[in-house]
């Protein structure tokens, strides 16, 4: 970047972006420990899956191994490594949820979120749905069936330590695999661009040309067109056409022109210019969509997934509770779950064991509820249970115990790994820690007018 460094009222150099500036919740030592532990655990998990897939009857496990490698192991390894070698300050690039450099920041905006919405709506752009279980399923089915989905969600990219506040898009030829789209991030209060220039929003606009595999993680993802400057200019021109009163000035050579790759491994090239779109003269609407009023209220998928896994663990404990209670009632341990008629010593222990399992099931259900609500203590407690289970499994394996297979503990082991990976993710951590305070605090420092305003 060029231009002299400026310092804001908090003593931060312009262009830097420590995690707290964007409202990203501060990461604690406990978060780091679980994050690293989950990375090491998923490597072991991948090795276990690969060993199982090499058995002739389990050749289909190769698909499971690819899924674990692409969506668990490689993303977490990238996340750990990029924390070491990538700078944690503004360099004009967003990041993927895996920590890789994402799409370049190529548009800046002066104005409010409501003014952006008014102009983008007038320019025939569609507000993208948040990433949820429902929208994720719909984008997959729409892409496979080539059915139109105008509000299709875009993947999360991170700037200022948090994902985009909202995104807009234009579908091409009714095909969700091809679309113009642009993500917007609210700049932290008092934050300045390198050179001391104040803006309210930063944005990254790119064009999705097809669906393919990521070069770096092997995940199924959208592939973008290399000439991102053409998309930047398309966005700016669509705004100027819809709102001639919008003023645009361009910072030439804001960054050095370069050829690079984004987080999916797609080639990108840019001249480094940054247009600043001034929308302060645009009338703000009286009401805006809910996602613009409070973009952090949406529960992220990792949080929802983690809560479901904890609930599943609760149901398993509840099933065992009923089995033990039935054994106490009829005085036998019949059935495939419990085995044969108990000895007197075993019979005496059945009732207390049923009570303990019942309490454990209740605890798991409560944890699942509080996790889904954004409870940070519940999140840490659930990860602790999962970590203890994984450690016990590791010790048992080293001690010559039974191998982890489908016939033994592979399913429960997999669920514990998935649980910690989900709840230790950045999106789950930020959501949980932000819910302990006001969502209108640093996460949304400039709340937009509600429909009642």
């Amino acid at each position: 970047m060029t231009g002299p460094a400026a310092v804001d009222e908090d003593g931060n150099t312009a262009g830097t972006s420590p995690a707290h500036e964007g409202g990203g919740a501060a990461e604690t030592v406990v978060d780091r420990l679980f994050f690293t532990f989950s990375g090491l655990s998923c490597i072991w998990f991948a090795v276990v899956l690969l060993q199982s897939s090499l058995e002739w009857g389990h050749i289909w496990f190769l698909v499971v191994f690819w899924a674990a490698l692409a969506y668990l192991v490689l993303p977490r390894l990238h996340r750990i490594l990029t924390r070491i070698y990538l700078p944690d300050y503004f360099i004009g690039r967003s990041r993927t949820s895996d920590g890789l450099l994402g799409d370049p920041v190529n548009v800046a905006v002066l104005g409010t979120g409501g003014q952006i919405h008014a102009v983008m709506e007038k320019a025939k752009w569609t507000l993208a749905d948040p990433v949820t279980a429902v929208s994720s399923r719909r984008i997959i089915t729409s892409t496979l069936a080539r059915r139109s989905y105008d509000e299709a969600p875009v993947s999360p990219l991170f700037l200022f330590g948090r994902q985009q506040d909202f995104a807009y898009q234009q579908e091409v030829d009714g095909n969700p695999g091809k679309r113009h789209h642009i993500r917007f991030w609210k700049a932290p209060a008092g934050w300045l661009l390198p050179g001391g220039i104040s803006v309210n929003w930063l944005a990254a606009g790119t064009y999705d040309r097809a669906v393919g595999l990521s070069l770096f993680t092997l995940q199924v993802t959208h592939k973008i067109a290399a000439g991102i400057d053409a998309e930047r200019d398309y966005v700016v021109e669509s705004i100027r056409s819809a709102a001639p009163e919008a003023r645009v000035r361009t910072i030439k050579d804001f960054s050095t022109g370069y050829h690079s790759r984004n987080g999916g491994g797609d080639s990108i090239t840019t001249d480094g210019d940054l247009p600043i779109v001034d929308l302060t003269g645009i009338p703000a609407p009286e009401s805006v969509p809910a996602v613009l009023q409070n973009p952090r209220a949406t529960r992220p998928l990792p949080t929802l997934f983690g809560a479901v896994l904890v609930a599943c663990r609760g149901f398993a404990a509840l099933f065992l509770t009923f089995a033990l209670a039935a054994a106490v009632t009829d005085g036998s341990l019949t059935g495939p779950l419990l085995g044969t008629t108990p000895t007197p010593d075993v019979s005496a222990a059945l009732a207390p064991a049923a009570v303990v399992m019942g309490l454990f099931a209740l605890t798991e259900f409560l944890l699942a509820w509080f996790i889904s609500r954004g409870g940070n203590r519940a999140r840490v407690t659930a990860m602790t249970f999962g970590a203890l289970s994984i450690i016990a499994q590791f010790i048992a394996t080293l001690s010559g115990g039974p191998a982890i297979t489908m016939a033994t503990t592979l399913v429960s082991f997999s669920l514990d790994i998935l649980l910690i990976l989900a709840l230790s993710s950045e999106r789950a951590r930020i959501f949980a820690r932000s819910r302990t305070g006001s969502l209108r605090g640093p996460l949304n420092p400039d709340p937009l007018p509600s429909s009642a305003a």
Side-chain angles (χ1 to χ4, degrees), residues 252-308:
K252 304 293 290 185
D253 302 317
F254 173 73
S255 68
T256 302
Y258 58 84
H259 298 265
S260 184
R261 292 184 182 273
N262 73 346
D266 305 328
S267 296
I268 52 176
T269 179
T270 177
D271 58 17
D273 293 349
L274 180 72
I276 300 178
V277 182
D278 188 348
L279 302 180
T280 55
I282 306 296
E286 292 186 358
S287 63
V288 295
V291 67
L292 271 74
Q293 295 181 36
N294 193 356
R296 295 292 162 263
T298 303
R299 184 180 295 107
L301 274 180
T303 298
L304 178 60
F305 184 60
V308 170

Side-chain angles (χ1 to χ4, degrees), residues 13-72:
T13 302
T16 62
S17 62
H20 69 273
E21 281 193 338
E27 187 179 43
T28 65
V29 173
V30 173
D31 290 319
R32 295 190 187 99
L33 287 175
F34 278 119
F35 188 88
T36 304
F37 177 83
S38 64
L40 297 175
S41 299
C42 70
I43 294 175
W44 182 31
F45 180 51
V47 172
V48 171
L49 290 179
L50 181 59
Q51 290 173 338
S52 299
S53 66
L54 295 179
E55 299 177 13
W56 179 251
H58 295 162
I59 199 70
W60 59 273
F61 254 56
L62 285 173
V63 177
V64 180
F65 172 71
W66 163 78
L69 186 68
Y71 290 92
L72 302 179

Side-chain angles (χ1 to χ4, degrees), residues 147-158:
R147 292 198 304 265
S148 177
Y149 182 9
D150 290 338
E151 305 86 7
V154 300
S155 60
L157 289 180
F158 290 77

Side-chain angles (χ1 to χ4, degrees), residues 367-378:
L367 282 177
W369 167 254
F370 285 118
I371 288 170
S372 69
R373 299 284 295 173
N376 190 57
R377 291 181 181 177

Side-chain angles (χ1 to χ4, degrees), residues 13 110 126 147 186 197 202 204 212 214 229 242 248 257 266 372 388:
T13 302
L110 289 168
T126 302
R147 292 198 304 265
K186 176 74 174 177
I197 301 171
L202 293 179
S214 166
D229 292 345
V248 179
D266 305 328
S372 69
L388 291 175

